[in-house]
């Protein structure tokens, strides 16, 4: 609530409450003075010397009735001239009430702002979670593609090895196979490799075929065969053994 609105609200409340209090004040005194006047008229009175003279001129009881009416009029005059004090009281009531409204509005606005911030943070968290899931899925897909590519490089070397008879060439091909396996071992842990194999049948099939090709080409029990089998939990060397050899 801005200052202009605050002043307008105070003025509205002051006017309504002040008018109501002023009317109630005057009505109260009118009822009280009227009852007092009627009680005075009902009681015998001694008008005094001048009152008796008035009774002679204006009729019996005129003096007492005039005195009661004058007392009533004086009381009502006092009630009317003090009635504006009701607006002073109403002004204090209005300030108090508007203060309550301002405090309530500030509380509501603060609560709404906190709720907005919480909703915003929740939305950011949800976006972050979604982005993290997407990034994780993308990384797993990249890992799958890279592993298949590296296993394919091993298969390519086995195909070359199958038709090679020259000892030097055979040795170099086996060294290339060992290098390809070391690159896989450096990129992935055994747990990661086995998780990828469990999640993707194509990887399991390629590993099975590669191991079978190694056996068919006389590499069964050799270091290349043992390393590949160990990486995918098929026996063979352990991750610790391979790390020790590299050190």
């Amino acid at each position: 609530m801005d200052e202009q609105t605050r002043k307008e609200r105070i003025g509205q409340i002051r006017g309504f409450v002040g008018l109501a209090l002023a009317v109630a004040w005057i009505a109260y005194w009118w009822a009280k003075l009227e009852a007092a006047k009627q009680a005075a008229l009902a009681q015998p009175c001694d008008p005094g010397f001048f009152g008796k003279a008035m009774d002679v001129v204006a009729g019996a009881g005129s003096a007492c009735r005039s005195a009661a009416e004058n007392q009533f009029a004086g009381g009502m005059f006092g009630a009317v001239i003090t009635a504006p004090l009701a607006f002073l009281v109403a002004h204090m009531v209005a300030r108090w009430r508007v203060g309550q409204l301002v405090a309530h509005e500030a509380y509501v606005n603060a609560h709404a702002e906190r709720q907005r911030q919480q909703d915003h943070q929740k939305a950011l968290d949800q976006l972050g979670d979604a982005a993290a899931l997407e990034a994780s899925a993308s990384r797993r897909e990249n890992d799958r593609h890279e592993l298949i590519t590296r296993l394919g490089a091993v298969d390519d070397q086995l195909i070359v090895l199958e038709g090679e008879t020259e000892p030097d060439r055979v040795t170099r091909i086996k060294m290339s196979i060992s290098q390809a396996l070391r690159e896989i071992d450096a990129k992935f842990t055994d747990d990661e490799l086995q998780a990828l194999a469990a999640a993707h049948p194509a990887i399991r099939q390629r590993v099975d075929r590669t191991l079978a090709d190694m056996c068919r080409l006389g590499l069964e029990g050799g270091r290349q065969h043992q390393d590949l089998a160990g990486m995918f939990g098929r026996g063979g060397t352990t991750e610790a053994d391979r790390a020790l050899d590299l050190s």
Side-chain angles (χ1 to χ4, degrees):
M1 184 183 298
D2 57 31
E3 185 62 22
Q4 181 63 31
T5 304
R6 176 178 171 275
K7 290 180 179 179
E8 290 175 356
R9 294 296 298 273
I10 288 176
Q12 292 170 356
I13 296 174
R14 180 180 59 220
F16 176 78
V17 174
L19 180 62
L21 289 176
V23 171
W25 175 259
I26 292 172
Y28 166 77
W29 279 105
W30 182 89
K32 184 175 182 179
L33 291 171
E34 179 66 21
K37 183 180 75 172
Q38 294 301 327
L41 291 176
Q43 297 292 329
C45 72
D46 182 7
F49 176 76
F50 292 104
K52 290 178 181 180
M54 181 180 293
D55 288 345
V56 173
V57 176
S62 296
C64 292
R65 186 168 53 256
S66 177
E69 290 177 349
N70 288 338
Q71 186 177 9
F72 174 82
M76 286 303 299
F77 177 76
V80 170
I81 63 173
T82 56
L85 293 175
F87 288 91
L88 178 60
V89 176
H91 180 73
M92 291 186 289
V93 171
R95 287 177 62 89
W96 169 78
R97 179 55 182 162
V98 171
Q100 281 190 323
L101 293 175
V102 170
H104 178 70
E105 183 179 2
Y107 170 79
V108 171
N109 290 339
H111 179 73
E113 178 62 19
R114 286 195 301 271
Q115 187 63 45
R116 186 193 67 80
Q117 291 177 355
Q118 291 174 357
D119 292 342
H120 180 66
Q121 186 61 46
K122 183 178 180 180
L124 290 179
D125 292 343
Q126 290 175 344
L127 287 175
D129 292 343
L133 290 174
E134 183 177 353
S136 178
S138 177
R139 179 169 53 81
R140 289 195 300 270
E141 177 59 25
N142 291 338
D143 289 345
R144 183 194 69 83
H145 178 73
E146 182 175 357
L147 178 57
I148 289 176
T149 300
R150 292 184 182 276
L151 288 172
V154 174
D155 285 343
D156 291 341
Q157 294 296 325
L158 290 173
I159 292 172
V160 175
L161 178 63
E162 185 174 6
E164 188 59 60
T165 59
E166 184 180 343
D168 289 344
R169 289 278 298 167
V170 170
T171 300
R172 285 196 296 269
I173 293 171
K174 290 182 178 180
M175 291 176 62
S176 296
I177 294 173
S178 295
Q179 178 61 32
L181 292 174
R182 282 196 294 270
E183 290 175 356
I184 294 175
D185 196 29
K187 174 66 177 178
F188 304 99
T189 66
D190 286 2
D191 289 341
E192 290 172 339
L193 290 171
Q194 291 165 26
L196 285 169
H200 302 286
I203 293 177
R204 294 198 301 273
Q205 293 170 5
R206 185 175 287 271
V207 170
D208 291 341
R209 185 171 65 249
T210 301
L211 288 171
D213 289 342
M214 286 182 173
C215 292
R216 182 170 54 81
L217 295 173
L219 299 178
E220 183 178 5
R223 186 54 188 263
Q224 296 88 354
H225 183 272
Q226 291 294 310
D227 286 349
L228 181 60
M231 291 176 188
F232 290 92
R234 311 290 180 84
T237 58
T238 65
E239 190 170 10
D241 292 336
R242 298 193 299 275
L244 185 61
D245 289 343
L246 290 176
S247 63

